Amino acid sequence: MKQINKGLLGLIGAAMLLSACNITVTPAPNGGGSSVTLNAVTSYNSEYTLRTSVKDQNNKTLAAGTNVICDDRNTQLQVGVSWTGGLQRIGISFKGVQTGQTTKQRIFGDRYSSPDYSGNGLATITIGSEVAPLKVSSGLSAQSIIPTPINTTYVRGYTYVQAIGEDQNGNVSNVVESVTAIPVVNCS
């Protein structure tokens, strides 16, 4: 008579025991991540625009009417975002073009009363000096920003607008970034 390996016999017994159980495994949405996926930053509009054309430190011309972030005062910025799934709230951060550094703080708005499945909307944020976000409005809105033309004395640099979503369970989505950067200027 052949001798059976005790470890193999234990594995067979465990397999038989598990096969007798009625277990259902349901994968989490998006492979365990968030049930919302951001598709793109679709737009951004600032409360400040350039009154006249100016040249930056690299001799690049910025046309009159260009949206800007004022580095020396609070700036209200409206960010358009598109998504798939149920968006519970949105967060905004910024990434410097030259340095590649992202703002340390990602600011999330208030939670919506229920997830938004519309697929696109606008988030309004207020940015303090030094491109540090102070506040994100509570929810998405269709309210538009009325631009105020400003003069500028110096273009400090450029920053990309980044957005991230959060689903109803608190799981965060992927990060999306604006295709173009917004100038950061000293306003006067």
Side-chain angles (χ1 to χ4, degrees):
M1 205 176 207
K2 292 185 178 179
Q3 203 172 29
I4 298 179
N5 183 334
K6 289 181 184 179
L8 180 60
L9 187 58
L11 285 174
I12 293 171
M16 289 175 59
L17 181 61
L18 286 174
S19 68
C21 296
N22 199 3
I23 299 174
T24 304
V25 177
T26 306
N30 291 342
S34 178
S35 63
V36 64
T37 301
L38 294 190
N39 300 321
V41 170
T42 57
S43 64
Y44 57 77
N45 293 302
S46 172
E47 76 175 294
Y48 298 112
T49 60
L50 295 177
R51 185 180 309 273
T52 60
S53 296
V54 298
K55 290 193 184 245
D56 71 6
Q57 63 274 22
N58 297 318
N59 211 25
K60 176 183 171 186
T61 300
L62 299 174
T66 298
N67 287 287
V68 297
I69 294 172
C70 289
D71 193 49
D72 53 349
R73 64 181 77 166
N74 288 350
T75 303
Q76 194 174 42
L77 189 69
Q78 198 169 59
V79 181
V81 180
S82 66
W83 66 86
T84 306
L87 181 67
Q88 189 69 47
R89 63 185 189 161
I90 192 163
I92 302 293
S93 60
F94 298 91
K95 178 181 167 187
V97 171
Q98 189 170 4
T99 64
Q101 291 180 343
T102 302
T103 50
K104 292 182 174 115
Q105 191 173 20
R106 181 178 294 133
I107 304 299
F108 280 91
D110 297 334
R111 292 181 66 82
Y112 309 135
S113 57
S114 62
D116 185 336
Y117 290 90
S118 69
N120 60 62
L122 300 171
T124 303
I125 63 170
T126 300
I127 307 160
S129 61
E130 302 294 319
V131 193
L134 297 176
K135 176 184 174 223
V136 177
S137 68
S138 58
L140 300 175
S141 69
Q143 178 182 2
S144 63
I145 292 177
I146 298 170
T148 302
I150 53 99
N151 296 315
T152 183
T153 55
Y154 180 70
V155 178
R156 297 193 52 125
Y158 299 84
T159 188
Y160 292 108
V161 179
Q162 296 182 323
I164 190 165
E166 186 176 86
D167 69 12
Q168 64 186 4
N169 297 318
N171 299 313
V172 293
S173 73
N174 57 309
V175 175
V176 292
E177 187 173 282
S178 60
V179 175
T180 59
I182 187 168
V184 179
V185 303
N186 284 342
C187 297
S188 60

